[in-house]
Amino acid sequence: MAENEAREPREVRVALVGIGAWGRNLARNYAQMPGAELRWICDRDPRRLADASRNFPHAMCTPDYARVLAAPELDAVVIAASAVAHFALARQALMAGKDVYVEKPLVLDVADGEELIRLAAERNRILMVGHLLEYHPVVLKLRDMIRAGELGRVLYVYSQRLNLGTVRQDENALWSLAPHDISSILFMLDQLPTDVSARGQCYVQRGIEDVVVMNMDFGGQAMAHIHVSWLDPHKIRRITVVGSKRMAVFDDAEGSEKLRIYDKGAHLPDEYDTYAASTGLRFGDITIPYFKATEPLRLECQHFLECVRTRAQPVSDGHDGLRVVKVLEAAQRSLKSNGEPLPIDLSGPPRVAA
Ligand SMILES: NC(=O)c1ccc[n+]([C@@H]2O[C@H](COP(=O)([O-])OP(=O)(O)OC[C@H]3O[C@@H](n4cnc5c(N)ncnc54)[C@H](O)[C@@H]3O)[C@@H](O)[C@H]2O)c1
């Protein structure tokens, strides 16, 4: 083998399963990214496959998943099918010896998530879940600021993920939208919630909640409030972090000014020495850090390729996916019992360092 051939890593050969509204974005990234070859596209819908073969002429398109998995040259399977299909598709891919990326939520059942983690470990395969916001430059910046104490002690976080649509039939708004908020809040705070509660209502379809508000409590310290809906007049993608020193607002619907840091606050009881001072509010500057325009999905796909090449554990690995599924499952049980707060145990292996 020539010397330069030995140094040049070969392209990671990827198959995409599910080329719907979101899968198209993954296909575009893998088709364009150096170091990747989008070799197969699989979807059970013939119209979606026909579109795929027009848009990605270099990929082989098929409805036959078994044929894809049987391809010996294939390294990794990227799953962007509907959430109900995640477990079966990921399980088959791991059994076939492929590395696997699964869109969020990892699975719809805790036991299924545990099985995927076990299979990946047994077969020494990469298992990564698409917790997109863990790769978002603004979330990384907020996580660093929180770590460095720049916001002070985090008092509470609230997020809003609202829009008119996309209405899904096989999962509710909680499972469809809240994985983004749960994963990014746990990631930024680097804390685990001790109890979860949720309330919601079904308006559009019987038995499928369109609007959910849920809470996570972090051992009586910080609290987080998440509002998700696909029945709302506004498209809102916003996370607000209120710290004892500063406050921050991440607005992902903004084009360029996605993060605002408010040097605002109040004198908290452990910081005052007279009663008069305790009621004082503080108003200061608002800063807007600059972020280079980068597609977070591109960063996420690059991380998956890197893990496949180097065999490193992904930041959003199976355990990270399972933590979020456990929170969702507890929130779902709380939904069905009128918002009762339910204790949750998320102990497990430590988070992979980002
Ligand atoms: N990370 C994000 O920001 C983000 C955004 C939207 C959706 N998603 C996730 O992406 C996934 C897909 O969502 P979507 O909006 O593209 O849905 P979609 O319904 O538009 O597309 C799903 C596609 O998967 C195909 N499919 C379903 N089951 C299959 C199977 N067993 N084998 C082969 N193909 C199958 C369907 O035919 C369809 O083409 C979901 O898991 C969703 O949660 C992630």
Side-chain angles (χ1 to χ4, degrees), residues 9 11 52 119 129 151 173 216 233 240 250 305 318-319 321 346 349-351:
E11 288 185 326
L119 273 176
V129 62
L151 300 183
M216 294 188 286
T240 302
F250 164 30
L305 290 182
H319 295 286
L346 294 186
R351 176 181 281 288

Side-chain angles (χ1 to χ4, degrees), residues 172-194:
N172 62 14
L174 173 75
W175 287 81
S176 176
L177 299 169
H180 289 303
D181 305 285
I182 298 166
S183 60
S184 58
I185 291 171
L186 301 194
F187 177 80
M188 287 189 295
L189 267 51
D190 200 14
Q191 288 182 48
L192 298 174
T194 48

Side-chain angles (χ1 to χ4, degrees), residues 18 20-22 43-45 48 80-82 86 103-104 168 180:
W22 189 249
D43 200 297
R44 62 185 180 189
D45 180 337
R48 293 251 158 109
S82 334
H86 287 181
E103 259 310 327
K104 57 79 202 161
R168 297 196 188 262
H180 289 303

